[in-house]
Amino acid sequence: MAGMGMRDIKRKIRSINNTKQITKAMELVSTAKLKRARDRLGSTRPYFETVKNTVQDIFRNSKDLRHEYLTQREVKKSLYIVITADRGLCGGYNINAIKKAQENIEDKEKAIFITIGQKARDFFTKRGYEVAESFIHISEKPEYKHAVNIGKMALELYAKEEVDEVNLIYTKFESTISQVPKLIKLLPIAKEEKKEENTEFKYVSYEPSPEEVLDYLIPKYIESTIFGALIESSASEQAARRIAMENATDNAEDMIDDLTLSFNQARQAAITQEITEIVGGAEALK
Amino acid sequence: MASTFQLEVVTPDRKFFEDEVSMVTVRTTEGDVGILKEHMPMVAPLDIGVIKIKQKGKTVMATCAGGFVSVDEDKTTIITDAAEWPEEIDIARAEAAAKRAEERINHGDAKEIDVVRAQIALNKALNRLRVAKDDD
């Protein structure tokens, strides 16, 4: 920190200290929020998993189902549902999800978006992408009815053939230190290929009919998948923010240490210089 | 009562019920269905109604706001948007909801979709009241 006077260094230390206090507070806040988000994740996962398994079971057991949501169409336009946060300061969380979406888009004209969170909305509208609808202020505390709204909208666009496939991009919460952006295809529903060796054909009765059961189940499946993704993303957001803020606090501490060292050096240099001057002056008087 | 099977009831925000039971009755869109052990595999959507669970000779009831039931050889799963035990029901709130829905239905110039919605709300509220009062 050469060329900086003592006063400058002191001022800088004080300003970094202020920033540190803020980041520390934000870290504590997101730690508390993360805990809540993880609890929710734990209580909603069973639902999400059960719906998914039941739907997959039905597809596996009945080979000759015909339904508009199951048939592949030529893809002229794709819908992307992108889930991000409303606010920044959470490391790469937002940009990773957005990048994941961009990777999959070959032609800008063929993509249409439903964005969740301010960050995704701003990003895609600014760059001239077609945004069908954006939801904000729900990513922190997602509720089931939000997922229902989003699901309904996606199904409507699909039924009107305005889009030919629906993709969902969210951030999976693997652990507190690792969150992975994921893309899943919602429509047309893809069968999960499992090893068919030991699965024997099971006769399952669908009341009143397989088609009607599917009519009910598919929207449910979409909604619950979106809901699960929203919950996963909100936990990921808090975890990402906590890590980012922890790093920021650590960095601020390092900087304060460095600056304190140069401050002390500067102080010592000043004292030494003063003594030299006094001694020099006294010598000259002799 | 040795013939029990595994029953699981899940809602979006919690695992509502998970245990061995001897019988469960649910209301599907086609009518009430009682499920005993070794019922044939079946999937059916549920209407707004009551879930009756028989366990160790006792019967407990819970509301169910629509969903679906999936019966498998060893396990039955009920997936519903909302389920409540009688003691969890807020009677005052359900009564208010029923009244509000009734007003909306009787209101002449309401749109068709609003009437349908109000009817669903009314059904849910009445169902809750039925279960809550039966418990006393």
Side-chain angles (χ1 to χ4, degrees):
Chain A
M1 297 288 157
M4 240 201 303
M6 275 165 63
R7 212 179 300 161
D8 290 334
I9 298 177
K10 217 170 187 177
R11 198 178 297 140
K12 202 148 188 198
I13 290 178
R14 212 179 300 136
S15 108
I16 291 173
N17 210 12
N18 283 339
T19 314
K20 190 188 112 182
Q21 276 170 357
I22 295 168
T23 55
K24 184 87 198 166
M26 286 178 76
E27 185 194 327
L28 292 176
V29 169
S30 39
T31 310
K33 281 187 180 167
L34 173 63
K35 197 182 168 296
R36 228 176 306 148
R38 283 186 72 174
D39 288 348
R40 272 195 93 189
L41 191 63
S43 59
T44 52
R45 254 189 191 157
Y47 180 81
F48 179 47
E49 299 282 324
T50 322
V51 175
K52 193 175 149 205
N53 289 342
T54 313
V55 172
Q56 290 293 346
D57 272 351
I58 295 175
F59 294 153
R60 253 201 311 283
N61 285 325
S62 26
K63 306 252 183 283
D64 50 350
L65 282 179
R66 296 233 164 270
H67 202 277
E68 56 168 332
Y69 296 137
L70 297 178
T71 40
Q72 301 270 354
R73 300 201 291 242
E74 191 202 339
V75 178
K76 282 180 241 110
K77 209 145 197 189
S78 318
L79 176 72
Y80 292 88
I81 303 173
V82 188
I83 305 174
T84 63
D86 286 325
R87 276 172 291 178
L89 288 181
C90 47
Y93 169 76
N94 288 319
I95 200 68
N96 284 344
I98 289 169
K99 260 192 201 150
K100 185 87 194 166
Q102 273 192 315
E103 270 169 27
N104 281 280
I105 299 163
E106 281 158 22
D107 191 348
K108 205 169 162 178
E109 301 298 314
K110 279 188 184 169
I112 174 164
F113 285 87
I114 292 180
T115 60
I116 294 126
Q118 247 161 18
K119 291 287 160 180
R121 183 194 66 181
D122 295 350
F123 184 92
F124 290 112
T125 41
K126 230 176 249 166
R127 280 162 188 76
Y129 287 94
E130 192 179 341
V131 176
E133 184 68 60
S134 52
F135 295 86
I136 53 170
H137 308 310
I138 63 166
S139 44
E140 205 167 280
K141 275 201 194 107
E143 277 174 37
Y144 195 71
K145 61 170 193 261
H146 299 136
V148 173
N149 285 341
I150 298 163
K152 231 178 238 160
M153 191 171 290
L155 282 171
E156 237 166 62
L157 286 172
Y158 189 81
K160 281 193 272 178
E161 306 214 358
E162 280 178 33
V163 295
D164 304 297
E165 60 169 9
V166 178
N167 296 299
L168 172 70
I169 293 120
Y170 72 105
T171 311
K172 189 171 167 55
F173 180 83
E174 303 251 306
S175 72
T176 20
I177 47 165
S178 145
Q179 300 89 34
V180 191
K182 285 249 154 92
L183 181 138
I184 41 178
K185 193 177 212 175
L186 287 180
L187 287 173
I189 292 175
K191 277 186 204 173
E192 259 175 34
E193 290 304 330
K194 277 194 186 164
K195 293 257 189 291
E196 296 269 332
E197 290 159 15
N198 50 4
T199 52
E200 54 203 278
F201 182 76
K202 238 185 345 186
Y203 184 77
V204 181
S205 84
Y206 298 102
E207 311 264 343
S209 71
E211 280 73 22
E212 270 176 74
V213 171
L214 276 185
D215 268 344
Y216 177 82
L217 266 188
I218 288 173
K220 205 78 306 183
Y221 171 70
I222 305 281
E223 283 161 15
S224 75
T225 311
I226 294 175
F227 183 61
L230 283 171
I231 299 274
E232 292 262 356
S233 294
S234 82
S236 299
E237 180 195 337
Q238 297 308 337
R241 179 165 295 127
R242 200 188 76 92
I243 299 287
M245 287 302 110
E246 196 182 293
N247 288 340
T249 313
D250 287 350
N251 283 343
E253 262 160 24
D254 286 348
M255 278 172 86
I256 289 173
D257 284 349
D258 284 350
L259 284 172
T260 317
L261 185 68
S262 16
F263 175 77
N264 285 338
Q265 276 169 349
R267 186 175 51 92
Q268 248 172 358
I271 295 168
T272 315
Q273 197 183 354
E274 227 170 275
I275 293 172
T276 327
E277 273 163 15
I278 294 167
V279 173
E283 284 290 320
L285 285 177
K286 271 186 189 163
Chain B
M1 281 284 188
S3 54
T4 57
F5 62 97
Q6 183 77 16
L7 172 73
E8 196 178 290
V9 183
V10 285
T11 69
D13 47 358
R14 62 179 164 163
K15 197 164 229 167
F16 183 70
F17 182 88
E18 188 179 22
D19 207 356
E20 293 280 323
V21 300
S22 46
M23 177 173 165
V24 60
T25 311
V26 290
R27 173 158 299 174
T28 71
T29 47
E30 304 293 286
D32 280 5
V33 175
I35 297 157
L36 290 165
K37 197 193 178 188
E38 284 171 5
H39 192 284
M40 77 181 292
M42 175 188 84
V43 176
L46 297 180
D47 210 350
I48 297 163
V50 181
I51 305 173
K52 280 187 199 147
I53 301 166
K54 206 167 171 191
Q55 194 180 22
K56 294 177 192 126
K58 271 199 277 182
T59 308
V60 286
M61 298 216 286
T63 62
C64 161
F68 70 96
V69 59
S70 157
V71 183
D72 220 336
E73 277 143 13
D74 46 354
K75 191 180 173 191
T76 295
T77 313
I78 296 174
I79 292 164
T80 168
D81 296 346
E84 284 139 356
W85 298 117
E87 60 270 21
E88 290 171 347
I89 296 168
D90 184 341
I91 294 180
R93 201 180 137 198
E95 268 166 359
K99 211 172 143 201
R100 205 166 49 234
E102 257 167 10
E103 271 167 19
R104 213 163 287 164
I105 292 167
N106 295 330
H107 204 270
D109 51 83
K111 276 189 226 127
E112 199 178 329
I113 181 94
D114 289 335
V115 175
V116 173
R117 261 190 213 152
Q119 248 149 12
I120 293 171
L122 180 62
N123 276 342
K124 281 184 185 169
L126 290 178
N127 183 42
R128 284 199 174 105
L129 289 174
R130 215 160 36 229
V131 171
K133 295 209 167 129
D134 206 61
D135 191 47
D136 296 334

